[in-house]
Amino acid sequence: MRPTVLEKINPFIKVVTILVCGILMALTSSWKLNLAVLIAALLALLLLSNCKLSSLVKTFVPVILLAGAVFVSGMSYGKSAAQSASIYDVASMDSALLLSTRILAYVGMGMMFALSTDQKEFIMSLMHQAHVKPKFAYGVLAAVNLIPTLRREWDEVNLAYRARKKRTGLLPIGPLFNTLVNGIRWSENVAMAMESKGFDGDGSRTFAITTRVRAGDICFAVLCIGLMAAGMICL
């Protein structure tokens, strides 16, 4: 599958751009800007990446429920909280919309990065552009790759308990302990393997993937931050 426009953007530039836009959005109090950011993020994922609509729907269902609960709570208790000095109190529909749409906007921005970024390229960009030491960067990558293994081990341990007709209860201490022990053992093996292969951060090494900052990456950052600044002024 050919990389799309969002997938070609340097991951480090992409995450810095999203963080800057998120900070700028936090300085405003316009629910219209939040809604515009959400729509822009969803359109970018659907039109400029290989993200499927089903993935967006599955991710946004719990987020929409959370945003709806925040909105209803604000509308229900806004009048009684109007005299409070707490920044978390909602006293009007505008503030209720602000809080609920801000949740959706931040999730949309996070998804725009997560669903259009390869984890290996992101780690490489941290080393090349952010100058993170290889032993830390590869350690994070190894930890992320262990998550599916831990999930598979959890399923196998639970299956073994059911095969022996052992009840785990509401708090499955036994399967959890077994999974954690195996996870620690795997992490030690990975650490020894990385050290034996020279992933200790000392000396120079070559890289299978080298990420670079191109003109398109700078244009992406300038365009996103510029649109956010324009939205702060107009909305």
Side-chain angles (χ1 to χ4, degrees), residues 93-186:
M93 179 177 290
D94 285 341
S95 54
L97 286 172
L98 173 65
L99 295 178
S100 58
T101 55
R102 181 154 293 178
I103 294 175
L104 296 174
Y106 277 127
V107 172
M109 294 171 65
M111 291 178 60
M112 188 174 69
F113 173 79
L115 298 180
S116 65
T117 306
D118 181 75
Q119 60 182 9
K120 293 182 180 179
E121 291 186 0
F122 178 54
I123 294 299
M124 292 298 175
S125 68
L126 289 180
M127 288 189 289
H128 296 307
Q129 276 72 56
H131 303 290
V132 176
K133 291 185 177 181
K135 63 178 180 181
F136 295 115
Y138 283 116
V140 173
L141 184 60
V144 171
N145 288 328
L146 277 179
I147 294 177
T149 305
L150 290 175
R151 184 179 302 172
R152 184 172 61 252
E153 178 67 16
W154 171 262
D155 295 335
E156 292 177 355
V157 171
N158 279 281
L159 182 61
Y161 269 74
R162 290 197 299 269
R164 289 180 289 178
K165 296 183 179 180
K166 288 188 175 181
R167 295 183 179 181
T168 58
L170 296 177
L171 186 61
I173 300 296
L176 181 61
F177 179 76
N178 292 335
T179 303
L180 290 177
V181 169
N182 289 332
I184 294 173
R185 184 183 301 115
W186 291 330

Side-chain angles (χ1 to χ4, degrees), residues 146 181-195:
L146 277 179
V181 169
N182 289 332
I184 294 173
R185 184 183 301 115
W186 291 330
S187 64
E188 292 177 350
N189 293 336
V190 170
M192 289 188 293
M194 290 178 63
E195 187 175 355

Side-chain angles (χ1 to χ4, degrees), residues 9-20:
I9 302 299
N10 183 281
F12 179 72
I13 300 298
K14 190 189 304 181
V15 70
V16 170
T17 301
I18 292 176
L19 287 175
V20 171

